[in-house]
Amino acid sequence: NMPHSEVGDRCYEEGMYEAAKLLYSSVSNFARLASTLVHLGEYQAAVDSSRKANSTRTWKEVCFACVDGQEFRLAQLCGLHIVIHADELEELIRYYQDRGYFEELISLLEAALGLERAHMGMFTELAILYSKFKPQKMPEHLELFWSRVNIPKVLRAAEQAHLWAELVFLYDKYEEYDNAVLTMINHPTDAWREGQFKDVIAKVANVELYYKALQFYLDYKPLLINDLLLVLAPRLDHTRTVGFFSKDAMQHAAESRDAELAEKLLQWFLKEGKRECFAASLFTCYDLLPPDVVLELAWRHNLVDLAMPYFIQVMREYLSKVDRLDASESLRKQEEHVVEPAPLLFDFDGHD
């Protein structure tokens, strides 16, 4: 005379699920009952039975069965009892992912974040899923939960997904300021934000990066360079910076044919009292600068002597230009054999 439970097992193994269901119910063996109900496709009843059995193994079995039967709402009810166990999370994620159910997996994890037993693994895995499948949800997720994710893991995912702005955000939180700055410099279109760049560069310890940042601003945001200098000024080696700047900024203005920038630089050199730079840039940016502007600046700042070689050069060029014009004009007239009208001569003497 076998106990019902054993008879139930025998029926179950023989695939006689209706019989097994009755036998397991009669002895309240909820774990086995849940397994049996799954086979009968009675998913809702299987979930109710799992609740009574309340063992992770049963929850998992019913969850996976519901996924197979595409009963995702019920699968999620079970899943919520599984994901809170850090050591069970990976298998559940794999089960959904291998079958291509990313949306459903994301919904499950989103629903689970509010649970009291939510742990770092859940926040981290959801971030990784967002990076692959829903990048638009990544910024808000990190903004809210950056302190609850495994940052190195999420950094790797963000980098693989080319989410540069998120990468900068994470590097900043992780106190890897050098990497944050380099990411902004290398991917300015996505990652550069003016305020953030200034905040982060102020926390960088590597002086070489300051010069890299200056170069980046010269190439990318020349009009904002003053703001950057305000942040960096206290940390820079002054002589090197002036050297770097004058050389690079003047070079940049000259190469980009940017007259406005060239003029701004002149004014900046004067404001900073960089007389040599002022003099040097007159030649580097020679043909970009209007001589009258240079003359006025030099006069206002008592630098006419310093600018004199420049003015001599300007005069020389103007005169040779005028000579060339005269020559070509007279040549043109000779060629055209034009008879010039006689100039009007004023005789000042006899007309008082």
Side-chain angles (χ1 to χ4, degrees):
N1 192 8
M2 285 205 275
H4 280 178
S5 227
E6 275 181 44
V7 182
D9 292 346
R10 178 78 54 83
C11 293
Y12 181 91
E13 277 146 29
E14 300 288 328
M16 296 159 66
Y17 299 119
E18 285 293 352
K21 171 177 155 184
L22 291 171
L23 289 160
Y24 288 139
S25 293
S26 70
V27 292
S28 305
N29 186 340
F30 297 115
R32 297 297 286 173
L33 178 57
S35 308
T36 308
L37 291 164
V38 158
H39 284 289
L40 290 168
E42 297 179 28
Y43 297 111
Q44 179 66 64
V47 173
D48 297 338
S49 200
S50 302
R51 198 166 275 122
K52 294 173 183 154
N54 200 19
S55 82
T56 306
R57 215 188 98 209
T58 304
W59 281 125
K60 218 157 63 176
E61 184 185 348
V62 176
C63 175
F64 293 170
C66 289
V67 170
D68 293 340
Q70 302 201 336
E71 294 280 347
F72 293 111
R73 190 186 61 81
L74 296 173
Q76 179 165 315
L77 286 176
C78 302
L80 293 176
H81 295 273
I82 301 166
V83 293
I84 50 176
H85 303 291
D87 47 347
E88 299 287 355
L89 182 60
E90 195 184 334
E91 187 188 351
L92 177 127
I93 287 177
R94 223 183 11 250
Y95 201 87
Y96 273 81
Q97 273 194 336
D98 290 350
R99 287 154 186 78
Y101 298 135
F102 302 108
E103 290 278 341
E104 294 76 10
L105 175 57
I106 286 172
S107 302
L108 164 53
L109 285 172
E110 285 173 342
L113 291 190
L115 298 173
E116 204 177 311
R117 294 176 60 190
H119 53 83
M120 183 179 268
M122 288 159 53
F123 291 97
T124 303
E125 292 302 333
L126 184 55
I128 293 170
L129 284 164
Y130 282 155
S131 77
K132 293 180 189 161
F133 305 108
K134 294 205 171 175
Q136 69 282 5
K137 288 199 158 187
M138 190 77 156
E140 191 192 4
H141 182 68
L142 293 180
E143 196 71 53
L144 291 172
F145 302 121
W146 65 268
S147 60
R148 301 193 68 176
V149 302
N150 174 331
I151 291 185
K153 260 184 140 171
V154 180
L155 270 173
R156 275 198 300 280
E159 188 163 17
Q160 277 168 349
H162 294 184
L163 300 176
W164 308 120
E166 287 76 2
L167 201 60
V168 171
F169 177 85
L170 289 167
Y171 276 138
D172 184 22
K173 295 297 185 196
Y174 204 47
E175 299 181 14
E176 286 201 12
Y177 304 121
D178 292 19
N179 281 331
V181 165
L182 284 169
T183 305
M184 282 192 261
I185 289 177
N186 293 331
H187 305 281
T189 323
D190 298 319
W192 178 82
R193 306 272 180 286
E194 188 185 357
Q196 190 183 29
F197 192 90
K198 287 192 295 193
D199 288 347
V200 177
I201 195 84
K203 304 180 215 169
V204 164
N206 172 358
V207 180
E208 290 310 311
L209 263 184
Y210 300 158
Y211 293 101
K212 221 183 168 90
L214 289 173
Q215 185 61 58
F216 163 66
Y217 265 60
L218 283 175
D219 297 338
Y220 186 71
K221 292 280 171 196
L223 299 180
L224 297 175
I225 200 124
N226 257 349
D227 301 340
L228 182 64
L229 276 168
L230 289 176
V231 178
L232 295 183
R235 302 180 173 74
L236 293 168
D237 160 0
H238 231 60
T239 16
R240 174 172 169 190
T241 308
V242 172
F244 163 87
F245 240 135
S246 327
K247 186 168 94 319
D248 277 50
M250 294 188 288
Q251 204 65 44
H252 177 78
E255 283 168 13
S256 62
R257 320 290 312 136
D258 188 338
E260 192 189 348
L261 176 62
E263 216 169 303
K264 278 211 163 77
L265 269 173
L266 270 194
Q267 286 165 347
W268 184 75
F269 289 144
L270 291 171
K271 201 171 96 217
E272 297 289 309
K274 316 248 178 287
R275 300 162 51 104
E276 323 62 44
C277 295
F278 172 79
S281 57
L282 295 181
F283 287 95
T284 315
C285 302
Y286 183 81
D287 49 351
L288 290 178
L289 299 164
D292 57 323
V293 171
V294 177
L295 184 55
E296 187 182 340
L297 285 173
W299 175 67
R300 279 180 193 282
H301 293 83
N302 296 326
L303 295 175
V304 175
D305 284 359
L306 197 64
M308 198 41 84
Y310 163 81
F311 290 119
I312 292 170
Q313 175 73 14
V314 169
M315 286 304 291
R316 196 174 282 141
E317 280 207 0
Y318 270 69
L319 290 170
S320 71
K321 251 188 211 151
V322 171
D323 287 347
R324 276 203 305 283
L325 279 174
D326 284 353
S328 68
E329 184 68 9
S330 60
L331 195 68
R332 191 175 65 76
K333 284 178 191 155
Q334 280 169 19
E335 282 170 0
E336 291 181 4
H337 304 295
V338 173
V339 181
E340 285 277 299
L344 295 172
L345 294 173
F346 294 100
D347 174 5
F348 290 110
D349 295 342
H351 301 276
D352 276 55

